[in-house]
Amino acid sequence: MKRSSGARLGATAAVSALTLALITGCSDSGSDAKDAKGSPDSGSSSSAPAAKALTPAELEKLLLAQGEVKGYRVTSGDDTLPKSKKAVKTDKADCDPLAWATAGLAPGQTDASASNSVAEDKASTATAQPDSVEDAFDVNMTFVGLSSYDGDGAEQAMKAVSGGVTACSGGYGLAAGEEKSKVTKVAPAKASGLGDESVAFSEDVDMDGEGTATFHTEVVRKGNTVATFYTVNFAALGTGKAAEIPAAVVKAQVAKLK
């Protein structure tokens, strides 16, 4: 017997710690970055000047702004995403970069980061008026994070993400604020191929007795700046259908990076 759309929305939204716990009320203004200790890339020139990280203010200016992607609206990430990695914890250190990327946080070790959200703007289409409460939630929302690094920190961040996809294939435990959830599976996914390198992965999440939900994340490096993209559709949480990361959003954001 089918439950009402409102009941299904309430149940699925309430148990999805990977989404709701990461984007509501678990911010921490404290800094928790550490010095990156990765070895320099063997192919880099020793005479080339070391890359210098952009500041958070400079990254804010590189985030997508309203009107830059047709059919999408842009919202500041200040009140929707965690501000500190202290708010996002896993039970496997190798899985930390995956959880951080999902939360719009820097997947590597840096203090320089900024984030926002980019959602489908259905008011700009013929389906501006939703037929039900569930339809109103049927919107793909992408959380975008930018981070910048000194030296080879960006390359090391990408290696940490790639390594995490392999090391965490069997899943990991995630705690965000007071909420806890279980990622049961991590698998590589097809990346956009944009920037200097890109990595994508999917995560299956136990919905606390409501089945399993699949989420996609992509991480793209351009120079010493890393962009992360994580997309969720709240109306689809209980359907088993994964929301795809909009190619237009990734393309537009990467194009703005230096």
Side-chain angles (χ1 to χ4, degrees):
M1 178 177 179
K2 290 186 177 180
R3 291 173 291 170
S4 68
S5 60
R8 184 161 69 83
L9 276 174
T12 54
V15 298
S16 182
L18 185 63
T19 54
L20 294 183
L22 291 178
I23 64 176
T24 59
C26 57
S27 62
D28 184 329
S29 61
S31 171
D32 53 0
K34 299 177 182 178
D35 293 335
K37 297 182 179 180
S39 59
D41 218 76
S42 58
S44 62
S45 171
S46 59
S47 60
K52 182 67 176 176
L54 299 175
T55 66
E58 289 172 324
L59 289 174
E60 288 281 357
K61 294 178 180 179
L62 292 178
L63 284 167
L64 287 173
Q66 181 63 34
E68 291 185 331
V69 188
K70 185 177 180 180
Y72 292 86
R73 66 180 185 276
V74 178
T75 304
S76 169
D78 291 347
D79 296 325
T80 56
L81 292 170
K83 300 303 180 293
S84 170
K85 295 174 182 177
K86 294 177 182 177
V88 181
K89 302 181 184 297
T90 75
D91 59 0
K92 297 179 182 178
D94 286 341
C95 307
D96 286 348
L98 308 186
W100 294 336
T102 298
L105 297 166
Q109 303 298 343
T110 181
D111 283 315
S113 63
S115 61
N116 66 2
S117 61
V118 183
E120 290 177 303
D121 187 4
K122 291 198 171 183
S124 65
T125 70
T127 58
Q129 298 300 321
D131 294 328
S132 66
V133 174
E134 187 167 357
D135 289 339
F137 281 87
D138 188 15
V139 173
N140 285 346
M141 179 177 290
T142 302
F143 299 100
V144 181
L146 297 183
S147 54
S148 189
Y149 304 79
D150 289 328
D152 68 341
E155 289 93 333
Q156 295 301 322
M158 296 300 292
K159 289 179 180 178
V161 173
S162 296
V165 173
T166 300
C168 305
S169 60
Y172 61 93
L174 173 69
E178 298 299 319
E179 300 292 336
K180 295 182 179 180
S181 64
K182 175 66 177 178
V183 177
T184 60
K185 178 183 177 181
V186 177
K190 184 177 180 179
S192 64
L194 297 175
D196 296 318
E197 57 180 321
S198 57
V199 177
F201 57 92
S202 65
E203 294 178 295
D204 290 352
V205 182
D206 180 6
M207 299 291 285
D208 195 21
E210 295 288 330
T212 300
T214 300
F215 302 94
H216 289 159
T217 303
E218 179 166 0
V219 183
V220 181
R221 179 183 68 83
K222 186 173 181 180
N224 64 326
T225 299
V226 173
T228 63
F229 305 88
Y230 167 72
T231 300
V232 62
N233 183 311
F234 292 109
L237 288 180
T239 68
K241 181 180 179 181
E244 298 296 331
I245 299 172
V249 173
V250 178
K251 183 177 180 180
Q253 180 60 84
V254 174
K256 290 192 69 173
L257 303 183
K258 297 178 179 180

